[in-house]
Amino acid sequence: MSIDWQEPIARMLGRMEDTARQVGHAYPHWANPESGRWTTTSNGDWTGGYWLGMLWLASRGHGGERFRTLAEQGCARLEPRVSADTAFKAATFYYGAALGSLLAGSERARMLGLAAARDLKQRYNPKLGLVPLGTNAEEGSDVGATASSVDSLVVSLLLFWAARTANDREMREVAANHMDKVVGVHQREDGSFIQSSSLDPATGETLRRYTHKGYSANSVWARAQAWGVVCSTISYFSGGGEARWLQAAMKGADWWIAHVPGDCVSYWDFDDPKAPSVERDTAATAFMASAFLKLSSIAPCESKRQQYRCAGERTALALVERYLTPVDKNDKRPPGMLVEGCFNKREDSRAEDYVSNAELIFGSYYLFEALHLLSGRLLPAEI
């Protein structure tokens, strides 16, 4: 497939310039799909690191010094989040700080990422075998103190990076234990992932598995599936090449390929009975575009490598052609927005997350990463 992937990268870079002008010292959360106006957070929440991740990626290109400066400044403002009691800060510090160390050699980013990782390490609960969500987690007050979720796998991404960086064996062990427990609880035999779980505080045994943000308690919420595949894939790269994590990633990726609509863009929940007349989720789909491309470099046989490469290219192309706003004087939307991301359509969600058709900063990040992989600007094992 011969495609000029540089053009959509340029489109997204233009949108990043616009975003930087809009948000100032705040962090973009989601944007109105027509006006491009951002809803922001002041402290980064769990999404702010993805904005910094885009800046770190962009800083390696021609004229990237401005993006690096913005990333350094935004990273420094994350310091108050280091001790927050939430597993989800791992996403903020992996993409917002660890990537600054990995891609730009930033010492400030390295130190902040390590500080957040050490805080998460000491929150590890050996009875549960994982790092709990925490009292400040997005839904922590709703699901309980011994709850877990597939999206908490980002904890292992930050801890694996920190373990390598600091040569900390205990950190790696915590990361591996967390990875094994969360995948073991949340991945079904068929390869699909269920979002949430409740654990016995004394034994760590699973009391209940359910989907917290999807269509129903047993449905496959698209972003849960994507979290499972992305985090299993990156953990294989960064955690020492454990075959069980590659197997989990491939089972999840194969499930996605077998169930995603023919146009490669997922519904918000695979089990919503109103499909195809339901919301799509371009953000979850962008997660998978990146994961497929990474898997295409590590799958154990050539046929699977080709399958994942094709899936990654087709998925990224579908997003670029149909959902990345164009440079067109007749289109009033700002160019370079990845629209139709479904953040959360449940009425019991946080008010700041209740939007089902928007530009989501984490969706934009993963498409930007996928385009960098496709263009050769980024190697699969780098992040």
Side-chain angles (χ1 to χ4, degrees), residues 20 24-27 51-52 55-56 65-80 96 106 108-109 112:
H25 287 177
Y27 300 87
W51 167 234
L52 302 184
L55 294 172
W56 291 124
E65 190 57 36
R66 166 171 160 71
F67 292 118
R68 173 166 182 149
T69 298
L70 289 170
E72 291 276 9
Q73 293 171 345
C75 186
R77 292 194 297 273
L78 293 177
E79 187 170 3
S106 168
R108 174 184 291 169
L112 274 177

Side-chain angles (χ1 to χ4, degrees), residues 39 52 74 111 114 126 158 162 205 225 229 245 340 379:
T39 291
L52 302 184
M111 295 303 292
L114 286 174
L158 181 65
E205 292 183 6
Q225 189 69 19
V229 178
W245 301 335
E340 295 199 33
L379 298 177

Side-chain angles (χ1 to χ4, degrees), residues 149-230:
S149 70
V150 69
D151 23 342
S152 76
L153 284 173
V154 290
V155 166
S156 292
L157 306 191
L158 181 65
L159 296 190
F160 279 134
W161 164 79
R164 298 196 318 273
T165 301
N167 193 26
D168 186 332
R169 291 186 189 179
E170 187 178 347
M171 181 89 75
R172 191 214 177 266
E173 183 178 353
V174 169
N177 289 347
H178 182 88
M179 181 71 194
D180 287 337
K181 182 61 178 280
V182 176
V183 169
V185 169
H186 294 93
Q187 188 170 39
R188 300 179 176 103
E189 284 298 316
D190 67 356
S192 65
F193 285 91
I194 194 162
Q195 185 200 359
S196 301
S197 63
S198 298
L199 307 176
D200 186 304
T203 66
E205 292 183 6
T206 305
L207 301 176
R208 180 188 176 207
R209 296 196 305 176
Y210 59 102
T211 290
H212 184 64
K213 294 181 180 175
Y215 172 76
S216 70
N218 293 313
S219 64
V220 181
W221 179 48
R223 205 153 75 235
Q225 189 69 19
W227 277 121
V229 178
V230 164

Side-chain angles (χ1 to χ4, degrees), residues 30-299:
W30 60 267
N32 182 289
E34 297 300 326
S35 68
R37 297 301 303 175
W38 283 101
T39 291
T40 63
T41 64
S42 60
N43 66 358
D45 201 68
W46 69 267
T47 56
Y50 289 105
W51 167 234
L52 302 184
M54 294 182 76
L55 294 172
W56 291 124
L57 278 169
S59 74
R60 301 207 306 177
H62 179 68
E65 190 57 36
R66 166 171 160 71
F67 292 118
R68 173 166 182 149
T69 298
L70 289 170
E72 291 276 9
Q73 293 171 345
C75 186
R77 292 194 297 273
L78 293 177
E79 187 170 3
R81 297 277 293 162
V82 164
S83 59
D85 183 17
T86 169
F88 299 142
K89 73 184 178 191
T92 306
F93 284 95
Y94 179 71
Y95 289 97
L99 262 61
S101 175
L102 289 167
L103 299 178
S106 168
E107 179 62 15
R108 174 184 291 169
R110 186 181 77 88
M111 295 303 292
L112 274 177
L114 286 174
R118 287 170 179 141
D119 182 83
L120 283 168
K121 173 185 170 183
Q122 62 89 22
R123 295 180 189 277
Y124 175 73
N125 184 324
K127 289 184 178 180
L128 301 180
L130 49 71
V131 176
L133 297 187
T135 57
N136 300 141
E138 180 184 350
E139 65 262 15
S141 61
D142 297 328
V143 297
T146 60
S148 185
S149 70
V150 69
D151 23 342
S152 76
L153 284 173
V154 290
V155 166
S156 292
L157 306 191
L158 181 65
L159 296 190
F160 279 134
W161 164 79
R164 298 196 318 273
T165 301
N167 193 26
D168 186 332
R169 291 186 189 179
E170 187 178 347
M171 181 89 75
R172 191 214 177 266
E173 183 178 353
V174 169
N177 289 347
H178 182 88
M179 181 71 194
D180 287 337
K181 182 61 178 280
V182 176
V183 169
V185 169
H186 294 93
Q187 188 170 39
R188 300 179 176 103
E189 284 298 316
D190 67 356
S192 65
F193 285 91
I194 194 162
Q195 185 200 359
S196 301
S197 63
S198 298
L199 307 176
D200 186 304
T203 66
E205 292 183 6
T206 305
L207 301 176
R208 180 188 176 207
R209 296 196 305 176
Y210 59 102
T211 290
H212 184 64
K213 294 181 180 175
Y215 172 76
S216 70
N218 293 313
S219 64
V220 181
W221 179 48
R223 205 153 75 235
Q225 189 69 19
W227 277 121
V229 178
V230 164
C231 292
S232 297
T233 301
I234 297 174
S235 290
Y236 175 82
F237 277 110
S238 63
E242 297 289 349
R244 62 189 182 276
W245 301 335
L246 177 58
Q247 182 182 23
M250 291 177 62
K251 283 179 65 178
D254 292 347
W255 189 96
W256 184 284
I257 290 170
H259 292 83
V260 76
D263 63 5
C264 298
V265 180
S266 72
Y267 303 123
W268 79 285
D269 188 298
F270 282 90
D271 294 308
D272 190 324
K274 294 182 181 178
S277 301
V278 296
E279 293 89 343
R280 299 298 183 109
D281 189 359
T282 57
T285 303
F287 280 48
M288 291 301 300
S290 176
F292 283 137
L293 295 169
K294 288 174 180 283
L295 284 171
S296 73
S297 71
I298 54 175

